[in-house]
Amino acid sequence: MSFIKVAATSDFSLHNLPFGIFSTVDNPKHRIGVAIGDQILDLSVIFFLFQGPVMSKYQDAFKQPTLNAFMGLGYEAWREARRTLQTLLSANESTLRDDVRLCSRAFVPQNAAIMHLPADIGDYTDFYSSKDHATNVGIMFRGKENALMPNWLRLPVGYHGRASSVVVSGTPIRRPSGQMRPDQTKPPVFGPSKQLDIELEMAFFVGGGNSLGEPIPIEKAHEHIFGMVLMNDWSARDIQAWEYVPLGPFLGKNFGTTISPWVVPMEALLPFAEPNAIQDPEPLPYLRHQDPYTFNINLFVSLKGQGMAGMATICKSNFKYMYWTMKQQLAHHTVNGCNVRPGDLLASGTISGPDPETFGSMLELSWRGSKSIDLGGGNTRTFLKDGDEVTITGYCERDGYRVGFGTCTGTILPALQH
């Protein structure tokens, strides 16, 4: 229990302690903070309290405007910092609790904070690791007999996304324009996307990197995974459908990707680990691991259109539906010697489960626009309209406490006139 009041339904209990970057109106400097209850603990104020054998040498990491330096310190530094924070914030520890002057400087109400991207994201990779999602999309575009491509069950399929257009929750997203070919008997046309979609995803930040030419073995992969965020990887389906052969997604994806601001440490998620998906055929040796590294994270997508009284939940899913694990994704990403760096972002791909309510995209929920998604009150959608606000939330829960991620929100702005 913490001396900071934490509601039972709070995402940010003492069991969580996610890291983020924030500023305030009266202090625009970007600082590293940790969420606890409805407060943020400013680590740039209490950096000197990190006196363990590792962090005592690297206290300046908490004076930085991003998490990159701290991420780069590696696994033992993260674990030690987490233990220090849990001790400092516990109800029976007086160091911070009884220092009224220090507390007044160190704690900031979350509703007074402006949140920023947690890290300078050097590179962004998006995987395609939900079997249910890949099967659904394959059925739509290739038929049931060819739903999964021959490589899908053999390796974690992925592509390199655009890091420059990854934005923090709350940033509006402009409807993209591009080439589309809605009528296959006619030439392509240019204009605003008419099939703008969401993608329910999660992503992890790379901590310690690797040298060029030196793969990260799967046995060590967990030491390079810093923590997780929620993600909405917005997608223009009509632009993507025309452009993606033969090199994959491009303008249909790189116009915007939204992530939640709080990075939940993997150590906070380990109590919610579940057995990995049964993989048949068995992966090649470099992708094999037996320890559970899939997680029971409840995920929700809500939509509020202009004129609607409230949010309508359109998807209830779970991260445990993933086929390939994060360890496998990272091991595969680097097996050819590719180097990853602190702050790199690796995403899951759309997360869908076996039932229609668990489908993580409007493409699936409307089955390629063939049926309406009911929002209540006479409101329906097949794809997104201008003014739609989409919010993703997620949390783990057990024994009376939650480990949650906050919100991942974006609102659609009209396309620019060309």
Side-chain angles (χ1 to χ4, degrees):
M1 182 178 290
S2 174
F3 68 87
I4 297 295
K5 185 177 179 181
V6 178
T9 56
S10 172
D11 279 350
F12 306 125
S13 65
L14 191 63
H15 300 273
N16 190 347
L17 303 182
F19 294 90
I21 300 295
F22 77 102
S23 64
T24 51
V25 172
D26 61 339
N27 184 357
K29 180 181 177 183
H30 290 198
R31 292 105 77 190
I32 296 176
V34 166
I36 176 74
D38 62 1
Q39 300 290 307
I40 298 174
L41 177 59
D42 186 343
L43 300 193
S44 72
V45 173
I46 65 155
F47 68 92
F48 60 91
L49 295 178
F50 290 85
Q51 298 172 356
V54 180
M55 287 309 303
S56 59
K57 304 170 190 172
Y58 299 106
Q59 293 175 347
D60 283 355
F62 292 134
K63 300 179 186 178
Q64 305 305 311
T66 69
L67 284 166
N68 295 70
F70 177 54
M71 290 173 170
L73 293 179
Y75 185 64
E76 292 305 325
W78 313 333
R79 295 181 70 193
E80 182 184 290
R82 178 173 169 81
R83 289 194 298 270
T84 299
L85 285 164
Q86 286 184 319
T87 298
L88 289 171
L89 288 166
S90 66
N92 57 4
E93 171 59 43
S94 63
T95 304
L96 190 55
R97 181 195 66 199
D98 294 349
D99 193 329
V100 176
R101 187 175 177 183
L102 183 58
C103 280
S104 69
R105 294 171 49 230
F107 287 101
V108 175
Q110 286 188 35
N111 60 15
I114 302 161
M115 300 304 298
H116 306 280
L117 284 175
D120 286 332
I121 301 169
D123 285 294
Y124 159 48
T125 300
D126 193 22
F127 286 93
Y128 191 51
S129 292
S130 163
K131 186 178 180 181
D132 292 296
H133 173 70
T135 300
N136 289 339
V137 174
I139 290 171
M140 284 182 221
F141 289 92
R142 292 186 299 274
K144 195 169 185 178
E145 298 306 314
N146 299 300
L148 292 179
M149 298 299 283
N151 63 355
W152 200 93
L153 293 171
R154 297 287 186 174
L155 57 85
V157 173
Y159 73 97
H160 293 298
R162 182 73 184 175
S164 66
S165 53
V166 178
V167 296
V168 74
S169 176
T171 306
I173 297 294
R174 177 77 62 184
R175 180 180 295 272
S177 293
Q179 282 195 36
M180 299 157 284
R181 196 180 184 186
D183 187 337
Q184 298 302 307
T185 66
K186 296 179 181 179
V189 297
F190 179 88
S193 170
K194 293 180 174 62
Q195 296 182 352
L196 185 55
D197 199 355
I198 62 159
E199 288 190 353
L200 168 62
E201 301 197 24
M202 298 195 73
F204 68 88
F205 277 98
V206 173
N210 60 308
S211 299
L212 183 66
E214 298 181 9
I216 295 173
I218 200 160
E219 298 81 12
K220 295 284 187 181
H222 66 284
E223 297 181 8
H224 298 262
I225 299 174
F226 178 77
M228 297 183 71
V229 293
L230 303 171
M231 173 182 282
N232 186 348
D233 197 21
W234 310 88
S235 181
R237 301 295 182 185
D238 40 7
I239 295 174
Q240 184 177 340
W242 170 235
E243 73 179 0
Y244 84 100
V245 177
L247 293 181
F250 189 36
L251 303 187
K253 300 289 296 178
N254 68 4
F255 61 92
T257 301
T258 304
I259 63 171
S260 52
W262 294 108
V263 187
V264 176
M266 295 313 301
E267 199 165 349
L269 297 172
L270 287 177
F272 306 94
E274 297 210 347
N276 306 323
I278 296 172
Q279 296 181 331
D280 183 21
E282 186 179 27
L284 293 174
Y286 79 94
L287 288 172
R288 294 176 195 165
H289 73 96
Q290 300 302 318
D291 56 312
Y293 212 73
T294 228
F295 297 91
N296 186 0
I297 305 171
N298 302 295
L299 297 167
F300 306 88
V301 182
S302 300
L303 189 155
K304 181 181 180 184
Q306 290 181 323
M308 288 177 57
M311 304 292 290
T313 300
I314 61 173
C315 168
K316 298 178 181 178
S317 197
N318 197 297
F319 188 73
K320 69 184 179 183
Y321 296 135
M322 301 306 294
Y323 185 85
W324 296 102
T325 71
M326 291 178 284
K327 286 187 177 187
Q328 290 174 317
Q329 290 168 344
L330 186 57
H332 182 66
H333 198 309
T334 64
V335 74
N336 67 340
C338 173
N339 55 319
V340 293
R341 296 171 293 187
D344 283 358
L345 190 65
L346 276 63
S348 61
T350 304
I351 302 165
S352 294
D355 305 312
E357 73 165 8
T358 65
F359 293 170
S361 69
M362 297 175 81
L363 178 71
E364 294 165 274
L365 292 166
S366 73
W367 206 255
R368 208 179 176 185
S370 65
K371 58 184 181 181
S372 295
I373 303 165
D374 183 17
L375 304 180
N379 296 289
T380 62
R381 291 290 186 277
T382 50
F383 293 99
L384 294 171
K385 293 184 177 181
D386 293 345
D388 282 353
E389 177 186 343
V390 179
T391 299
I392 296 174
T393 55
Y395 63 84
C396 311
E397 194 166 40
R398 63 179 290 179
D399 301 332
Y401 73 89
R402 280 190 180 185
V403 171
F405 291 80
T407 59
C408 176
T409 299
T411 302
I412 301 302
L413 300 179
L416 292 177
Q417 296 301 310
H418 289 269

